[in-house]
Amino acid sequence: MVTPPTAQALPIFARQTGQPCGNCHTDVLGLTPFGRRFKLGGYTLGGGPFRKTLFPIPPSGKVFPTAGELKSVLVPGTASQDAVAQLRSYAQQTTSDAKLAKPAATPEQAITDAFAAVQKPEEEPGWFPPLAVMLLGGYTHTQAPDPNWTPGVNHWNANDNTGLAQASLFGGGAMSDNVGVFAQLTYSFPAIADASGKWGWDNVDVRYAQSGQIGGVDVLFGITAHNNPTVQDVWNTAPAWTHPYFTTQLGFTGPATSTVIDGAYSQRVAGLGGYLFINDQLYLEATGYKTLGVVAQTRLGADPLASLGQIAGVAPYGRVAWEQRFGDHNLMVGGFASRFEIAPWSVSGVPVPLDTTGNLADVPYGATNKYTDFGFDTQYQYRGDNYWVILKGAYIREEQRYDAGYIDGIVPANLTNSLNTLRASSTVAIGNDNRVVATGQYFRTWGSPDANLYQGNQDSVPDTTGFMAELAYLPFGSSRAPYWPWFNTRIGLQYFYYTKYNGDTVTSHDKNTFIVYSTILF
């Protein structure tokens, strides 16, 4: 019921930008203001030791005159001082010739030096395929054996398991000056009740980005195509990027019930949206989502019948955020909203249009269930002397209406329900490029009682309350670390503590989960 989040702090981007991990990240997946700008800019920033694309890209905005044009305009002995200054400026932008760092003896010599530097070809840096591999594994212990365990289903025990959670292949980075990609292919090892693991596409985000000015105000405009609602977001309060960033597929690592915007359609939709980042302060986004076909989802490794059904038409999503910097302080306040009208799968697993046979004969043909989500979030970051302090909070309320009459073959007891999710966390990252990171999180889910939807839960409610504590160590995160930027790893300890789980406060501690994990990226 709970799937592990995916990892996206990559040697790919370290190679492309030449930046140590701590310039973009406060905590591996947690983004700094610079990291957010890199993502909004379409993953296209260069500066590393390799050419960022397979084919060379001319420097943007520069016009390279031919040798004949330069000679006809700038003839030694006749050029003006302005022409000399212009040529020197041009040459400084396009070359790294040491002669241009100091004044020439005469204007004529300045022209000669600059002209020679412009005409001398620069050494072309090499290109390296933008690929990376990640392995995630660890040890998982729950306070009581997992009740979902069945002997002989796979190699896992009822408790105290050690093994791999997932293996991923990443591709990404700049395709051109304005187009960049992040793509992930993952093999998910079986969970406690799964018969086997499987390959499938994971998070994918393709962007076009362009910066400019409107009325003297800096504006960054972008288009994003992706396959997971909120994976395009740049703040770590959106559902796709909240804690825990890493965990195993075993144990209990969060509430069993979540809102639709919180991962219900990850890797099952195609989303297309546009965004504006105005004056590095105001972020506006509008995106639409359409469910992929059953065959497409199956071929891509996403089980279509594990979702609530097919989205009718296009599901709209909107996002607004205001970010303000005060020296070393950074504050974001924002909100998001979405509406999903979903035609549920029939009892027999027949896709939309609805199967209205048998005991579902009274279901209106083409009726949909409506899920309207409203979210409010905030994030505060303080950058100190070799440390970060981050505070985050997010609240989501979902209004549900079941006009289709059933969900996964269950007829809800109520026509309408509501579901709420609250997360609040604090993080301290200390040391060179955030070597040691400590995080604490409070999470709570609560909603309307429904005797049919939550018939296995105490008091027929989805309510879960708990805490998560994590301590992580990154031995190779800095630019001075061995094998950087070819290799990175993270070692972490996690503990999930529950005071209520699915309405149960008596045996909720049985779900308490301790995890030791390690990620290896290369």
Side-chain angles (χ1 to χ4, degrees):
M1 292 186 293
V2 180
T3 58
T6 51
Q8 299 179 7
L10 299 181
I12 292 174
F13 296 145
R15 292 197 302 263
Q16 177 178 302
T17 64
Q19 301 293 322
C21 302
N23 282 10
C24 283
H25 295 281
T26 59
D27 174 18
V28 181
L29 301 190
L31 293 179
T32 66
F34 180 81
R36 288 192 286 274
R37 186 64 186 236
F38 172 75
K39 183 172 179 177
L40 290 173
Y43 313 105
T44 58
L45 179 69
F50 299 95
R51 190 170 69 241
K52 65 180 183 178
T53 62
L54 177 60
F55 302 102
I57 301 174
S60 301
K62 296 185 177 70
V63 178
F64 292 86
T66 65
E69 290 171 337
L70 284 173
K71 289 179 179 178
S72 65
V73 175
L74 299 173
V75 180
T78 63
S80 66
Q81 292 290 342
D82 287 343
V84 173
Q86 290 174 12
L87 181 56
R88 283 180 58 82
S89 175
Y90 168 75
Q92 287 172 326
Q93 293 179 50
T94 56
T95 74
S96 57
D97 198 293
K99 292 181 180 179
L100 301 178
K102 58 183 180 180
T106 64
E108 289 76 11
Q109 186 61 47
I111 291 178
T112 301
D113 292 344
F115 182 79
V118 171
Q119 298 306 307
K120 184 175 66 178
E122 292 284 341
E123 183 178 350
E124 185 68 39
W127 178 80
F128 192 86
L131 299 174
V133 174
M134 185 197 73
L135 302 176
L136 169 62
Y139 163 80
T140 304
H141 169 80
T142 52
Q143 188 157 317
D146 194 323
N148 297 313
W149 178 76
T150 302
V153 171
N154 51 44
H155 62 284
W156 300 122
N157 301 314
N159 207 344
D160 297 315
N161 288 291
T162 302
L164 286 171
Q166 69 180 72
S168 291
L169 174 67
F170 297 89
M175 300 295 105
S176 71
D177 270 351
N178 302 103
V179 177
V181 175
F182 171 85
Q184 180 180 3
L185 178 68
T186 293
Y187 181 83
S188 298
F189 289 83
I192 199 74
D194 294 343
S196 62
K198 64 178 181 178
W199 282 101
W201 74 333
D202 212 315
N203 291 330
V204 175
D205 183 21
V206 181
R207 291 178 182 256
Y208 168 87
Q210 179 68 57
S211 60
Q213 285 194 333
I214 299 177
V217 178
D218 291 334
V219 175
L220 176 62
F221 163 76
I223 299 173
T224 169
H226 52 274
N227 68 343
N228 182 4
T230 75
V231 77
Q232 76 278 19
D233 206 86
V234 296
W235 289 277
N236 291 96
T237 48
W241 298 114
T242 190
H243 279 97
Y245 297 144
F246 302 93
T247 191
T248 67
Q249 76 276 42
L250 307 178
F252 302 88
T253 56
T257 304
S258 60
T259 60
V260 172
I261 194 66
D262 200 351
Y265 281 89
S266 58
Q267 289 81 56
R268 296 180 175 89
V269 295
L272 181 64
Y275 59 89
L276 290 172
F277 195 35
I278 303 172
N279 204 32
D280 286 332
Q281 292 177 315
L282 178 62
Y283 177 82
L284 302 172
E285 179 194 337
T287 298
Y289 295 99
K290 182 71 176 175
T291 317
L292 295 173
V294 174
V295 174
Q297 290 187 54
T298 302
R299 289 178 176 174
L300 292 168
D303 181 6
L305 298 181
S307 67
L308 294 170
Q310 292 276 40
I311 297 173
V314 176
Y317 168 85
R319 170 66 148 145
V320 60
W322 177 265
E323 182 174 278
Q324 186 64 55
R325 302 177 193 175
F326 310 93
D328 293 327
H329 304 264
N330 186 284
L331 176 66
M332 183 279 291
V333 178
F336 49 88
S338 64
R339 180 175 173 83
F340 291 82
E341 296 191 10
I342 299 172
W345 303 115
S346 70
V347 173
S348 59
V350 177
V352 176
L354 298 179
D355 179 1
T356 59
T357 61
N359 63 345
L360 299 177
D362 56 342
V363 176
Y365 181 83
T368 60
N369 295 327
K370 282 81 173 176
Y371 302 83
T372 305
D373 293 356
F374 300 95
F376 304 93
D377 59 337
T378 184
Q379 176 176 277
Y380 166 77
Q381 295 176 317
Y382 173 72
R383 184 169 191 170
D385 185 12
N386 210 28
Y387 69 91
W388 282 91
V389 176
I390 304 102
L391 303 175
K392 299 181 296 184
Y395 167 74
I396 303 173
R397 180 174 177 83
E398 181 173 86
E399 298 291 344
Q400 306 169 346
R401 181 180 175 91
Y402 312 113
D403 290 325
Y406 70 100
I407 302 173
D408 291 333
I410 299 174
V411 178
N414 308 321
L415 175 62
T416 61
N417 278 332
S418 64
L419 186 64
N420 305 271
T421 296
L422 176 65
R423 296 187 183 98
S425 66
S426 61
T427 298
V428 177
I430 303 172
N432 183 36
D433 286 305
N434 315 316
R435 186 63 57 85
V436 179
V437 183
T439 298
Q441 182 190 55
Y442 168 79
F443 54 86
R444 181 188 175 200
T445 293
W446 70 101
S448 307
D450 192 299
N452 293 344
L453 286 181
Y454 310 119
Q455 56 185 298
N457 297 1
Q458 185 171 318
D459 298 326
S460 300
V461 295
D463 300 8
T464 296
T465 303
F467 301 85
M468 187 275 293
E470 181 178 39
L471 182 64
Y473 175 62
L474 290 79
F476 306 119
S478 75
S479 56
R480 294 178 292 276
Y483 309 114
W484 186 94
W486 300 95
F487 177 85
N488 203 351
T489 189
R490 173 187 174 106
I491 302 168
L493 305 175
Q494 290 176 344
Y495 186 65
F496 295 84
Y497 178 85
Y498 295 91
T499 60
K500 180 184 289 189
Y501 195 89
N502 284 346
D504 176 22
T505 59
V506 178
T507 63
S508 59
H509 295 335
D510 289 348
K511 305 299 190 295
N512 294 350
T513 300
F514 173 72
I515 296 172
V516 181
Y517 71 87
S518 176
T519 62
I520 299 173
L521 291 133
F522 56 92

